[in-house]
């Protein structure tokens, strides 16, 4: 890892607290992992014993946290530079890089083995692949190599519902991949909106985000294109095995709002954005946080109500 010695030297004396180690696991990201994996597990057409289901979600969450710790270990040098990340445990001097690495590796092994034992080997192997993809393919390679880092790397955050489905069924199907695609297509406009008003961070850190390599005008066009594709996918998913009238209603309303926001972003110039401190872009980013949660919440509602004849088509 680059500048590891510099990172290590920033650590101040004193014992780290439990909260510092927990922060390494990226709890906010972990909450999304847990929720989408839970939806994938409950939307599966096979009933799962509550203890097995709880164990599956727990170990998927631990695997997601392990990925976060390894990500923070590798990215400690750029985290020191970016305003958004400089308060993380390693650059803040609360946890040594080596501790984060050890924690990440230990939790990775634990989560993969225990998920395989609690559910099936296929689920454990898929979790292992997801951790590898996020840490090696995205964090170590794509993030600093290409402006398509978010597009391709977004797959790592899209795998949890597939893992949840496999944990329940032990097999693949079209439906979990639709949930995967929903998260995958949502990731670029979500992060690019953030990058529009946080560009200086990526400039300072030397991360080739699209706003840095192609400029904000190109990024705005990309947000609109991906949002149109996302809307088509999201509404189309309503007519799949995980969809239904509840999901369709949520998808139509949310995607209409999302398309409206993306269109406004595409029509703005930099003077407008600077004048109101990127008000439209910030609003779109906030909506994107609700967007995925409400879509998966609708899928969950369809799955829960289906046995009572109230969900699905």
């Amino acid at each position: 890892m680059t500048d590891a010695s510099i990172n290590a030297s920033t650590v101040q004396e004193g014992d780290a607290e439990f909260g510092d180690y927990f922060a390494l696991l990226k709890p906010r990201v972990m909450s999304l992992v847990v929720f989408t994996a839970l939806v994938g597990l409950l939307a599966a057409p096979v009933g799962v014993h509550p203890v097995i289901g709880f164990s599956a979600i727990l170990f998927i969450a631990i695997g997601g946290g392990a990925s976060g710790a390894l990500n923070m270990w590798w990215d400690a040098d750029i985290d020191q530079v970016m305003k958004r990340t400089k308060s993380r445990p390693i650059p803040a001097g609360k946890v040594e890089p080596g501790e984060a690495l050890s924690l990440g590796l230990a939790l990775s092994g634990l989560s993969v083995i225990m998920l395989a034992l609690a559910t099936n080997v296929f689920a454990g192997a898929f979790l292992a692949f997801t951790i590898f993809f996020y840490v090696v393919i995205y964090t170590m390679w794509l993030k600093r190599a290409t402006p398509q880092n978010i597009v391709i790397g977004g797959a790592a955050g899209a795998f949890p519902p597939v893992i949840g489905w496999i944990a329940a069924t032990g097999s693949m199907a079209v439906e979990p991949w639709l949930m995967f695609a929903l998260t995958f297509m949502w990731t670029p406009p979500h992060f690019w909106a953030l990058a529009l008003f946080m560009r200086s961070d990526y400039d300072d850190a030397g991360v080739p985000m699209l706003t840095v390599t192609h400029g904000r005008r190109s990024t705005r066009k990309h947000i609109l294109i991906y949002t149109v594709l996302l809307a088509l996918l999201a509404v189309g998913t309503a007519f799949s095995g995980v969809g239904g009238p509840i999901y369709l209603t949520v998808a139509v309303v949310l995607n209409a709002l999302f398309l409206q926001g993306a269109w406004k972003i595409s029509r703005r110039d930099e003077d407008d954005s600077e004048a109101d401190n990127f008000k439209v872009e910030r609003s779109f980013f906030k909506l994107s946080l609700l967007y995925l949660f409400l879509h998966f919440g609708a899928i969950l509602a369809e799955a829960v109500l289906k046995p009572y004849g109230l969900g699905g088509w």
Side-chain angles (χ1 to χ4, degrees):
M1 178 180 175
T2 58
D3 299 328
S5 59
I6 296 177
N7 295 332
S9 67
T10 65
V11 180
Q12 302 170 354
E13 293 185 359
D15 295 331
E17 298 179 356
F18 174 79
D20 299 320
Y21 291 109
F22 184 67
L24 284 174
L25 308 184
K26 294 190 174 182
R28 289 185 180 179
V29 176
M30 189 194 297
S31 65
L32 178 62
V33 169
V34 168
F35 183 60
T36 57
L38 177 65
V39 173
L41 184 136
L42 294 180
V46 177
V48 177
H49 190 280
V51 174
I52 295 177
F54 174 80
S55 300
I57 298 304
L58 173 62
F59 298 129
I60 292 172
I62 292 174
S67 298
L70 293 173
N71 171 270
M72 286 199 190
W73 161 70
W74 184 264
D75 278 350
D77 58 329
I78 62 175
D79 282 349
Q80 284 183 314
V81 179
M82 299 175 67
K83 295 178 182 178
R84 187 171 62 89
T85 58
K86 64 181 182 180
S87 61
R88 286 176 173 175
I90 297 176
K94 297 177 181 179
V95 176
E96 293 186 11
E99 292 179 314
L101 174 61
S102 298
L103 179 65
L105 292 175
L107 292 182
S108 294
L110 173 68
S111 62
V112 169
I113 293 172
M114 293 306 296
L115 181 63
L117 292 174
T119 59
N120 56 76
V121 174
F122 191 14
F126 211 93
L127 177 60
F129 171 75
T130 300
I131 296 172
F132 172 83
F133 192 98
Y134 182 73
V135 176
V136 178
I137 303 300
Y138 170 66
T139 301
M140 295 184 177
W141 176 30
L142 294 174
K143 186 172 183 177
R144 309 191 194 200
T146 171
Q148 295 300 309
N149 46 19
I150 288 300
V151 177
I152 306 171
F159 284 130
V162 180
I163 302 173
W165 185 285
I166 294 173
T169 66
S171 62
M172 292 286 194
V174 173
E175 288 81 5
W177 288 108
L178 287 173
M179 289 185 274
F180 166 91
L182 192 63
T183 308
F184 180 77
M185 293 299 296
W186 163 85
T187 302
H190 166 72
F191 273 101
W192 284 333
L194 173 66
L196 283 173
F197 57 86
M198 296 290 290
R199 177 180 167 175
S200 60
D201 261 11
Y202 296 107
D203 275 326
D204 295 342
V207 177
M209 190 63 73
L210 193 65
T211 48
V212 177
T213 60
H214 291 67
R216 284 177 174 154
R217 170 49 50 194
S218 177
T219 302
R220 294 175 188 279
K221 293 179 180 178
H222 277 73
I223 288 175
L224 179 60
I225 292 170
Y226 271 84
T227 300
V228 170
L229 296 174
L230 173 62
L232 293 173
L233 170 69
V235 174
T237 299
F239 304 98
S240 71
V242 294
I246 298 173
Y247 175 88
L248 178 60
T249 302
V250 170
V252 168
V253 173
L254 278 176
N255 284 280
L257 294 173
F258 218 48
L259 284 168
Q260 181 183 45
W263 175 253
K264 287 181 179 179
I265 286 176
S266 72
R267 304 297 293 174
R268 282 162 66 83
D269 58 32
E270 296 315 305
D271 290 336
D272 293 334
S273 299
E274 294 288 352
D276 62 11
N277 193 28
F278 296 90
K279 180 179 179 180
V280 173
E281 293 80 0
R282 292 177 188 275
S283 177
F284 181 86
F285 176 74
K286 291 178 181 178
L287 177 61
S288 73
L289 297 174
L290 288 174
Y291 180 97
L292 202 64
F293 173 78
L294 292 177
H295 275 80
F296 273 86
I299 293 174
L300 179 60
E302 296 284 4
V304 171
L305 294 174
K306 189 174 292 187
Y308 304 99
L310 300 175
W313 297 108

